[in-house]
Structure formats: structure tokens, C-alpha cells
Amino acid sequence: MARSWLDIDPSSDFSLANIPFGIIDTPEDVTRHVGVAIGSYVLDLKELAHRIGANNLLPFGAHSTPGVFETRTLNAFAKLGRSVHRHVRERIQDLLSENTSCPHLLRDNAELREKVLWPQHRVRMFLPMDIGDYTDFYAGYHHAYAVGVMFRGPANALQPNYTHLPVGYHGRASSIVVSGTPVRRPVGQILLDPKAEPKQPTVAPSRKLDIELELGCFITKSNDLGHPVSIDEAEKHVFGYVLLNDWSARDIQTWEYVPLGPFNGKNFTTTISPWVVLADALEPFKTKGIENPTPLQDYLKEKREETVFDIQLEVDLTTPDGNTTTITKTNGKNLMWSFPQMIAHHTLGGCPLRKGDLLGSGTISGPVPEESGSLLELSEGGKRVIQLNGGEGRTFLKDGDTVTFRGFCVGKEGERVGFGECTGRVEGA
């Protein structure tokens, strides 16, 4: 990977090897439109395409959609398909490269640089996609096992179907928000004394507000009703990836989830990071996931062994007093099921996915307790206090707490591919 003529910190998530896409507005253009992150800057693609011509960014055949960078979401760009995404990403990399093939277009054009390059702190970020449907899977084996042990014991921690298919449920797309949006503590039915008989719930604010550290996948290509996506074609349906916090109210969830699964305990808020890291940017970091000892059905068999991503994941908790503690570190490779397998299973019965749909991986936890992706695991269901810097402790979240996810892949020096931050602050019910 060539160096950029921009001054980019080697530790930046947004190296020249990345080029993630998002929806922005700027002090000079308050209409939402497309930008990309590069180092500590944002490149305004709407303004750039207007100044140099969309044909200098889009491949031949895609010129009929010159306004694709002027839209309020990335859906129109996602719809163009992975070959176009690849071309545009490579074209931007060339324009930003120290040895660019077209130095006059941007590198040597000081006036244009002033118009199209913005410091990130001067740009506002918005939800990157118009999300029609959201499906949350349960592919984090260590999380599924640890939580299963809490409720059913080691012998029955996992249901018999867990290693046969990617377990999932349909979430609520309308409550997905972009990083930085406050998270209101939900109110719901909870059991104050689970051991009391008869069981009588109380309507109250959740006392066990939790996080779930996940990876989100956006769909770029639709399939028709009644036509499943084969495992070999599933990769073509992937647009890109974000960090995802599927906030969870454990006390509401515990009372309601039998027999049909999570509902109000999950649907109040899901936070995603604002920058969509394209599938091609993560391709060099593919690795093996957790080995599945169960013989798979043919529709779930992938040809390659490297099916998940070596993404270093971290979670910070900042108290209202401003003390920050990194409460967990884990890795994206701790998944038993890949996103292509999730797509193939999701569509097996003929369910149509649509561009902009979001799939969640499920909570990503490592094999040891300190690598857990939820407070439920870190606190052992509320039995153990998590010690924080500044002397405070937590079992679950308090009002005023801020949770920040980070995720990044470490390549060669100066080629880090990361997601930026996925953050949310808890507000009172």
C-alpha cells in the first residue's frame, strides 16, 4: 500500500488501506451526503465529484448515477454492487496516494483541498443506511455457552440446534441509531423477586441495563422472494461492516423471552458506528473462526477455511465523573458462524433480503471471562462487581455511564483498518 500525501498518524483507524464510507454534513453544506474517512480528515465525495466530475470516481457504466454521492444514505451507492465499490475505493486511494496518477486533480490543487477535506471534528455524522430490516444472530459461541451455563448449567448450556444452524431473531430497525446518540433507560415488566410465588411483575425502569459487543453487516444486494442465496454467492451480498452495540435490559428480557425470544428487552436501542468499512478492506484480515465439530448441511458449507475477521475489539466504560476503564478486550474471530452462512441460512426458506438490511453477529466474547462482550458475563449475572478506575464498581450500567466500542485490524505499519468509535451515554428512564 502506497503512502498518502496527507499526514496520517500510523495509529489511525482510517489509513489509506481502509477508506470507509459514511453520511456527513459540513459547515458549508448542511444537506446529508457521502464522505469517506482518511486519517483525521473527512473527504467530501459530493463536493469532490462535483468539482472533478463523477466519471473520475465511478467506473464506466456507472456514470448514469452521478448523484450517488449526493444522497442522504449509502443505499444508492451500496446498490451499485461490490465491483463498483471496489473501483471507487481504489480510485480514492489513488487520488490520496503520494504517487497518485492524477496529481493535478487533488494533491496539487490547494484550492480544491480546502473545499473537500474537512477535519473530522467539524463534520457531523448520521446513520449511514436506510435500514429496512434488522436481524440479530447468536454466533458468538463463548457468549452463548457462558450465558447458557448461568441459566441452565454446563450440561444444557447450548440448545441442540446451536451447532447445526446460525440461531437468530428479528430485531427492530426503527430503534437503530448512530454512534453518539443518547440511550434512554427502558421501562418494562420485571420481576423484583424471581423466587416469589405467584410470580407478579412490576412495571419499572430496567435495573440491569447491559451492552452487547457485536459486528454488524450491511446487505448490498437483494434476492427475490422464494429464491435463497447460495453460500457461494453470499459474499456478493455484503456491502460492509460496522461495530454494533445491541443494548439489552436483562431483567426485562428474562421475564419476557420465553417462549418466543427477546422483545422489549432488546428493541429500545441499538447503536452502530458511523463509518461502513467495505468488505474489500477487511478481506486481508480473514481468519479461521471457532471450529464447529458438527457436520454441516450442504447449504452452509463454505469452500474456504478463513471465514471470520481478526478484529481487535475493546470496550471502555466512562463514569459520570469522567473516569474511563477498559473493561474488556476480545477478538472478532470468536464466532462460530460467518456472515455468508448467516445470509445463506436467513434466505434458505425464500426470505428476501434487501439493500440496507443489517445483520448482527451476536455478542462476541473470548474463551476466558475477562474477554467477555457483555456485563452479564463480566459480572456473572450481577454476582461480581466490576472494579473501575476511580474506585467505583459496576454490575450493570448506571445513568450517566458512557460505553465506547473500538475495533481495528492491525496490518503493516500505517495500514491499520478500523471502525472508529461506537459510543452511547445512558440517560434516565
Side-chain angles (χ1 to χ4, degrees), residues 82 235 278-287 304 306 309:
R82 285 189 60 170
E235 279 279 5
L278 295 185
D280 280 1
L282 288 180
E283 186 67 26
F285 304 100
K286 278 198 168 178
T287 187
R304 62 184 294 183
E306 298 81 13
F309 302 107

Side-chain angles (χ1 to χ4, degrees), residues 53-65:
N55 61 311
N56 278 305
L57 295 174
L58 293 164
F60 181 78
H63 295 170
S64 60
T65 55

Side-chain angles (χ1 to χ4, degrees), residues 317-320 394 396-403 424-426:
L317 195 159
T318 303
T319 65
R394 292 289 186 277
F396 294 97
L397 296 173
K398 292 186 177 181
D399 292 349
D401 286 346
T402 298
V403 177
R425 181 180 183 274
V426 179

Side-chain angles (χ1 to χ4, degrees), residues 126-140:
F126 299 90
L127 203 64
M129 303 286 283
D130 180 11
I131 305 168
D133 278 304
Y134 163 48
T135 302
D136 195 24
F137 283 89
Y138 201 44

Side-chain angles (χ1 to χ4, degrees), residues 246-279:
D246 195 30
W247 305 83
S248 300
R250 299 301 184 185
D251 41 6
I252 297 173
Q253 181 183 354
T254 300
W255 174 238
E256 73 179 358
Y257 85 105
V258 178
L260 294 181
F263 189 51
N264 285 343
K266 296 276 193 177
N267 68 11
F268 56 97
T269 308
T270 300
T271 303
I272 63 172
S273 52
W275 294 109
V276 180
V277 177
L278 295 185

